[in-house]
């Protein structure tokens, strides 16, 4: 039997075992997120989906829906916190939207627009991160990686290749490639791999689809991310 | 500002550059006579350095951010270089036409911006007229039809860019070996429907530029006047060419110095001199040396260099221009007239290109084998533009060299600034009008130096006149926003 929670004043039904973000999605309610994707284990790492549950902060992708929950989602307070998290993601990496091939298709950029992020606010760290173009089909730009871990899961569980892991600590954490040289060129990754498709930013890109769509025709040029999830 | 031996230094700081700043230094002797004039480009952009290590396919997107007025020129020059990097020597007919159309739109809108928005207030109201009137808003108020021509021509050029690249500024068009999107038939028809009106407006613009120039002919011909060589692309037939051709060089009298030079080997005949006081290098023809080998590029050079223009209306305009100047034209202010002739040529070429069925073709890209080096050369609105890249085995940029139009004109601008200063800075009293005349001389070459603020009459300038003891004698300041 379906039960109910309240999100931003709206009654939302859920099935036992569902997380808040799953219940919200089924009811057409958008909770901003980056590291969560349907079909993947939620690890709650990016913190963009944080909501207030009965006045306490919780990540919507890892918190189970439960009777009596009253949730603040798109309130000014919650979105302000989310915006700061996205700003920190921007300054922690090197995200050059003006020329990035993923621009207009990038979940990080689209989420920033959704949260009305007008500037970076925090001081840029400008980390030195390496670029890997050694593979014929796929290239890796760690400048753009937000360490969501989705490619790690996808490569292990869907592609059955186990090509990636996250290594290092703190702000030095980076995406590592499972090969003797640490280069993609030595792996059997393919442009068709789910690990490439699931990347929400421009970290893992196909080499052959270079700037395939012009401005105005890209996914988020037409539809904001909050609406795209619920398009038929 | 400071004393150097027996010299005094007058500094105009800042003069704006391509989305940046420069300054002018005038060195005077004890008799307050001008000894030397220097145009310093004080901003360091660093594009050549920070694209190192990036993949080659990103380059056309990155380097177009060099400029907000002529990004398409950088985009296409880099795109041509990247074609070579991927081993493509010949694009598909549609891709080639789309790039040319994009370029015509770019040159048209840039020329319109420069002439109407930036230069016309000086030309219409006078170089030393009330500073409050020397802006595009006053042109709109006092000369509405002229302003309308400028605004609509610029809009048309931008519309072409938008229909091809998706945005009016900094769009996405050229990709390795071709173009990323076709021109839609509805967009072709929309643009084609405006062409006749735009050609009419362009004709009026040529007439306006010619009339303004000739109304005070003697003054305009001697203002900031220098004699120089000219360099630029021409078609194999000798026709005016903006996209692809060989390099021709003429001397001060219009004699042919070089012809048929391969742009791909520019480094064999062009060198660059570094001077300690400027971030901008001084290119020169290697065989003539730095002292004699400097030259000018841009509209004036192109009109001087070509044998004819392939479009009928612009060719008639060129012949009138050539007739007045009895061969090669040297006055910097003739740049404006030449610029409007090119604007008319672009309007005509846009129409004829849009009428070709191939322009809406769908075959946009070819592939080849990766090479280690690519050189793209194009005629940007302000002149010759070189993009030169080298990559490693993985396609990452290892070396980049860009020689932009403003750089080619560096020595010429310095010389013109000196002449303008000699003509307008008299004694120790500095006036706003005198300052503007120096800007007018710069502006004739490169609107990027004035684009930041002049359009609304607020170019940030400070000139200080200091005597031999370092005492401030006079100063004039114009504020930016």
């Amino acid at each position: 039997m379906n039960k109910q929670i309240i999100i931003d004043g709206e009654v939302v039904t859920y099935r036992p075992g569902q997380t808040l973000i799953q219940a919200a999605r089924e009811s057409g309610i958008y909770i901003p997120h980056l590291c969560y994707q349907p079909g993947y284990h939620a690890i709650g790492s990016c913190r963009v989906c944080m909501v207030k549950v009965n006045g306490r902060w919780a990540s919507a992708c890892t918190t189970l829906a439960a009777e009596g929950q009253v949730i603040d989602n798109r309130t000014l307070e919650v979105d302000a916190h989310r915006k700061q998290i996205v700003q920190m993601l921007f300054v922690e990496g090197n995200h050059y939207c003006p020329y990035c091939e993923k621009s207009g298709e990038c979940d990080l950029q689209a989420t920033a627009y959704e949260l009305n992020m007008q500037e970076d606010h925090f001081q840029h760290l400008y980390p030195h991160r390496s670029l890997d173009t050694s593979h014929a089909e796929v290239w890796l730009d760690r400048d753009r990686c937000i360490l969501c871990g989705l490619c790690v899961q996808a490569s292990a569980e869907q592609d059955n290749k186990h090509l990636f892991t996250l290594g290092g600590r703190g702000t030095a954490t980076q995406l590592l490639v499972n090969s003797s040289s640490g280069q993609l060129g030595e792996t059997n990754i393919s442009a068709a791999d789910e690990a490439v498709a699931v990347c929400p930013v421009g970290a893992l890109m196909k080499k052959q689809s270079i700037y395939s769509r012009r401005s105005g025709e890209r996914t988020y040029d037409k539809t904001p991310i909050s609406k795209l999830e619920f398009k038929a | 500002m400071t004393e150097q031996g027996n010299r005094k230094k007058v500094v105009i700081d800042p003069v704006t550059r391509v989305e940046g700043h420069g300054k002018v230094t005038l060195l005077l002797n004890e008799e307050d006579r001008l000894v030397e004039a220097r145009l310093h480009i004080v901003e360091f952009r660093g594009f050549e350095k920070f694209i190192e290590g990036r993949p080659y396919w990103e380059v056309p997107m990155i380097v177009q951010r060099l400029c907000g007025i002529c990004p398409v020129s950088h985009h296409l020059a880099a795109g041509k270089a990247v074609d070579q990097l991927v081993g493509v020597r010949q694009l598909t007919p549609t891709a080639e036409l789309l790039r040319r159309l994009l370029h015509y739109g770019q040159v048209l809108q840039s020329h319109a911006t420069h002439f109407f928005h930036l230069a016309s207030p000086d030309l219409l109201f006078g170089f030393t007229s009330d500073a409050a009137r020397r802006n595009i808003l006053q042109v709109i108020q006092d000369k509405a039809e002229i302003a309308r021509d400028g605004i609509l021509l610029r809009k048309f050029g931008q519309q072409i860019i938008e229909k091809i690249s998706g945005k009016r500024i900094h769009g996405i068009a050229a990709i390795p070996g071709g173009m990323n999107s076709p021109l839609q038939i509805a967009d072709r028809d929309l643009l084609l429907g405006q062409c006749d009106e735009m050609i009419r407006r362009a004709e009026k613009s040529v007439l306006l530029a010619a009339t303004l120039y000739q109304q005070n002919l003697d003054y305009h011909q001697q203002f900031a006047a220098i004699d120089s060589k000219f360099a630029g692309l021409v078609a194999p037939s000798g026709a005016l060419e903006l996209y692809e051709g060989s390099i021709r060089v003429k001397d001060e009298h219009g004699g042919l110095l070089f012809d048929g030079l391969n742009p791909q080997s520019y480094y064999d005949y062009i060198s660059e001199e570094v001077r300690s006081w400027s971030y901008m290098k001084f290119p020169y023809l290697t065989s003539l040396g730095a002292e004699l080998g400097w030259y000018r590029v841009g509209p004036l050079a192109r009109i001087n260099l070509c044998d004819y223009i392939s479009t009928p209306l612009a060719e008639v305009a060129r012949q009138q221009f050539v007739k007045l100047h009895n061969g090669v034209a040297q006055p910097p202010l003739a740049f404006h007239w030449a610029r409007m002739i090119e604007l008319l040529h672009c309007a005509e070429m846009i129409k004829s290109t849009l009428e070709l069925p191939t322009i809406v073709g769908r075959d946009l890209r070819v592939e080849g084998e990766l090479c280690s080096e690519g050189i793209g050369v194009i005629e940007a609105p302000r002149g010759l533009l070189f993009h030169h890249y080298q990559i490693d085995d993985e396609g990452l940029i290892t070396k980049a060299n860009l020689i932009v139009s403003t750089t080619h004109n560096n020595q010429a601008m310095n010389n013109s600034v000196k002449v303008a200063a000699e003509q307008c800075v008299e004694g120790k009293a500095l006036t706003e009008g005198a300052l503007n005349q120096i800007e007018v001389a710069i502006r004739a070459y490169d609107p990027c130096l004035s684009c930041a603020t002049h359009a609304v009459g607020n170019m940030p300038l400070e000139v200080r006149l200091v005597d031999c003891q370092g005492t401030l004698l006079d100063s004039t300041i114009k504020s930016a926003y």
Side-chain angles (χ1 to χ4, degrees):
Chain A
M1 178 183 172
N2 284 341
K3 300 187 176 184
Q4 294 181 335
I5 56 176
I6 295 173
I7 301 179
D8 291 340
E10 191 173 330
V11 175
V12 172
T13 59
Y14 72 93
R15 296 187 302 280
Q18 280 188 311
T19 60
L20 297 177
I21 202 166
Q22 288 170 331
R25 285 172 63 85
E26 283 192 4
S27 295
I29 293 175
Y30 171 69
I31 297 179
H33 59 91
L34 285 172
C35 74
Y36 166 80
Q37 286 293 328
Y40 286 80
H41 307 301
I43 57 174
S45 70
C46 77
R47 317 311 281 170
V48 172
C49 72
M50 294 295 283
V51 292
K52 271 196 158 177
V53 181
N54 297 335
R56 298 183 63 179
W57 290 105
S59 57
C61 70
T62 55
T63 302
L64 292 176
E67 201 65 53
Q69 287 174 331
V70 177
I71 293 153
D72 291 342
N73 174 31
R74 301 305 304 272
T75 64
L76 290 176
E77 180 196 14
V78 174
D79 270 356
H81 279 76
R82 287 184 180 132
K83 185 166 79 174
Q84 287 194 320
I85 290 167
V86 173
Q87 286 170 324
M88 286 191 276
L89 286 171
F90 267 93
V91 303
E92 192 177 81
N94 297 305
H95 299 277
Y96 302 112
C97 297
Y99 68 77
C100 179
E101 190 183 334
K102 191 80 171 186
S103 200
E105 313 277 356
C106 172
D107 287 358
L108 178 66
Q109 183 192 49
T111 304
Y113 279 126
E114 177 68 27
L115 296 172
N116 195 30
M117 181 182 140
Q118 302 287 327
E119 38 81 42
D120 296 325
H121 183 75
F122 300 105
Q123 190 170 354
H124 279 265
L125 300 183
Y126 296 118
H128 289 284
R129 293 182 177 176
S130 60
L131 188 70
D132 184 349
T133 55
S134 59
H135 194 273
E137 296 180 16
V138 178
W139 62 294
L140 167 61
D141 188 348
R142 291 186 176 88
D143 276 345
R144 303 165 182 169
C145 181
I146 57 170
L147 306 172
C148 66
L150 286 169
C151 62
V152 178
Q153 271 196 62
S155 184
E157 298 172 14
Q158 302 198 36
D159 302 329
N160 294 314
K161 294 182 179 179
H162 298 273
L163 297 182
F164 300 107
T165 189
L166 297 178
R169 299 173 68 87
T171 55
T173 305
Q174 61 174 317
L175 186 65
L176 301 178
V177 177
N178 183 16
S179 70
S180 57
S181 64
Q183 297 283 296
L184 276 180
E186 287 187 3
T187 71
N188 61 345
I189 194 168
S190 156
D193 281 1
E194 180 61 21
V196 180
V198 77
C199 179
V201 291
L204 281 168
M205 299 286 288
K206 299 176 189 175
K207 277 189 171 176
Q208 292 306 313
S209 59
I210 297 169
Y211 298 99
S212 57
R213 284 196 272 190
R214 63 187 175 188
S215 307
E217 297 176 353
R218 303 165 304 184
T219 303
Y220 294 124
D221 290 336
K222 297 175 178 175
T223 312
I225 192 169
S226 56
K227 300 289 187 295
L228 190 75
E229 288 194 356
F230 307 109
K231 282 184 80 172
Chain B
M1 187 184 302
T2 54
E3 182 183 348
Q4 294 182 341
N6 291 327
R7 294 181 177 182
K8 307 167 199 172
K9 189 195 295 185
V10 181
V11 181
I12 303 176
D13 184 12
V15 179
T16 52
R17 194 220 172 198
V18 184
E19 299 149 13
H21 293 80
K23 66 177 180 180
V24 172
T25 304
L26 308 176
L27 297 174
L28 311 178
N29 64 17
E30 284 184 314
E31 286 78 43
D32 294 328
R33 296 186 64 85
L34 194 70
V35 177
E36 189 173 352
R38 290 173 176 174
L39 171 63
H40 312 256
I41 308 302
V42 296
E43 186 178 29
F44 178 65
R45 302 300 300 277
F47 270 72
E48 289 151 315
K49 194 65 189 170
F50 66 65
I51 61 172
E52 284 182 10
R54 297 303 307 175
Y56 66 84
W57 55 86
E58 284 186 344
V59 169
M61 307 303 160
I62 300 176
V63 295
Q64 66 175 334
R65 299 278 167 170
L66 269 162
C67 185
I69 293 181
C70 56
V72 168
S73 304
H74 289 290
H75 182 67
L76 289 179
K80 290 175 76 173
V82 168
D83 290 341
Q84 294 173 24
L85 290 174
V86 296
V88 172
R89 302 294 164 187
Q90 182 61 52
L91 301 181
T92 67
T94 299
E96 167 100 12
L97 278 180
L98 280 172
R99 285 198 189 177
R100 283 182 176 271
L101 180 61
L102 184 64
H103 194 46
Y104 295 135
Q106 161 65 61
V107 175
L108 184 135
Q109 76 87 19
S110 176
H111 279 1
T113 303
H114 175 246
F115 181 73
F116 290 98
H117 295 68
L118 306 180
S120 79
D122 298 321
L123 302 171
L124 291 168
F125 303 131
F127 301 168
T128 57
S129 62
D130 179 5
R133 286 169 49 81
R134 287 198 314 263
N135 56 67
I136 185 63
L137 299 178
Q138 197 67 42
V139 177
I140 292 170
Q141 186 168 320
D142 290 4
K143 312 277 184 184
E145 189 51 32
I146 291 175
R148 186 186 304 276
D149 286 340
I151 289 167
L152 292 179
L153 282 164
R154 179 170 185 258
K155 180 183 176 184
F156 181 57
Q158 289 180 320
Q159 204 173 13
I160 291 167
I161 295 168
E162 183 184 18
K163 296 303 181 191
I164 295 174
S165 73
K167 284 170 68 182
R168 294 184 175 207
I169 301 174
H170 301 145
I172 302 170
I175 57 175
M179 297 286 280
N180 79 332
S181 299
L183 180 66
Q184 301 302 319
I185 291 174
D187 291 337
R188 187 270 312 270
D189 295 344
L190 178 74
L191 296 172
L192 202 49
Q194 301 176 66
C195 283
D196 288 339
E197 180 197 341
M198 291 306 149
I199 290 172
R200 279 196 301 276
R201 292 189 186 277
E203 282 187 277
K204 285 169 58 187
S205 305
V206 177
L207 184 61
L208 174 65
T211 304
L212 289 171
Y213 183 75
Q214 293 177 87
Q215 271 176 354
N216 199 351
L217 186 61
D218 289 343
Y219 176 70
H220 285 155
Q221 290 201 317
Q222 58 81 33
F223 178 80
I226 59 169
D227 286 343
S228 78
K229 300 168 184 64
F230 294 96
L233 293 182
V234 291
S237 62
L240 176 69
E241 176 59 50
L242 298 172
Y243 183 77
E244 180 86 55
S246 61
I247 290 178
R248 176 179 284 181
V249 182
K250 283 187 175 179
D251 66 20
E252 292 81 350
H253 311 292
L256 205 57
L257 274 178
F258 303 101
D259 202 9
L261 294 175
N262 181 2
Q264 299 299 314
S265 51
Y266 74 93
Y267 43 78
D268 285 340
Y269 49 85
I270 290 177
S271 299
E272 294 180 278
E273 185 186 15
V274 176
R275 298 180 190 171
S276 60
W277 48 269
S278 177
Y279 277 125
M280 189 157 64
K281 294 177 183 175
F282 290 79
Y284 61 93
L285 296 159
T286 308
S287 60
L288 299 179
E291 187 72 23
L292 298 173
W294 60 276
Y295 51 88
R296 280 188 281 182
V297 301
L300 186 62
R302 291 188 291 249
I303 298 298
N304 278 331
L305 290 166
C306 70
D307 298 331
Y308 69 99
I309 297 178
S310 60
T311 53
L313 298 175
E315 172 58 11
V316 170
R318 185 196 72 87
Q319 287 175 10
Q320 291 168 347
F321 179 89
V322 170
K323 186 178 177 185
L324 179 79
H325 291 97
N326 195 24
V328 69
Q330 292 285 359
L333 289 178
F335 260 101
H336 297 301
W337 186 356
R339 194 171 280 122
M340 290 302 97
I341 294 172
E342 287 193 339
L343 177 137
L344 176 57
H345 170 64
C346 288
E348 292 181 281
M349 286 305 298
I350 287 165
K351 183 182 181 187
S352 61
T353 306
L354 285 167
E355 286 174 336
L356 296 171
T358 319
I359 194 68
V360 289
R362 319 295 281 191
D363 186 12
L364 297 175
R365 192 177 178 193
V366 289
E367 295 181 1
E369 292 295 316
L370 205 62
C371 304
S372 61
E373 189 166 35
I375 298 172
V377 182
I378 202 168
E379 281 285 357
R382 290 159 206 85
L384 270 177
L385 174 62
F386 294 89
H387 279 229
H388 184 177
Y389 305 105
Q390 292 174 352
I391 57 173
D392 63 16
D393 292 341
E394 294 184 4
L396 302 181
I397 301 290
T398 55
K399 187 178 179 185
N401 186 34
L402 315 181
I403 308 181
V404 303
S405 317
T406 304
T407 309
H408 290 292
N409 281 332
N410 196 359
Q411 185 63 58
M413 287 191 292
N414 273 276
N415 291 3
S416 282
V417 164
K418 182 180 180 185
V419 175
E422 287 171 341
Q423 292 169 340
C424 65
V425 177
E426 298 172 352
K428 297 177 181 177
L430 292 170
T431 64
E432 192 280 334
L435 290 189
N436 189 57
Q437 289 182 69
I438 294 172
E439 293 176 48
V440 167
I442 299 168
R443 209 167 281 134
Y445 291 88
D446 184 359
C448 292
L449 282 168
S450 57
C451 71
T453 55
H454 179 76
V456 290
N458 260 329
M459 187 171 180
L461 269 178
E462 179 185 2
V463 171
R464 285 186 280 178
L465 185 58
V466 184
D467 68 12
C468 296
Q469 284 71 47
T471 307
L472 183 68
L473 298 177
D474 197 359
S475 69
T476 303
I477 297 173
K478 285 201 301 184
S479 299
Y481 296 101

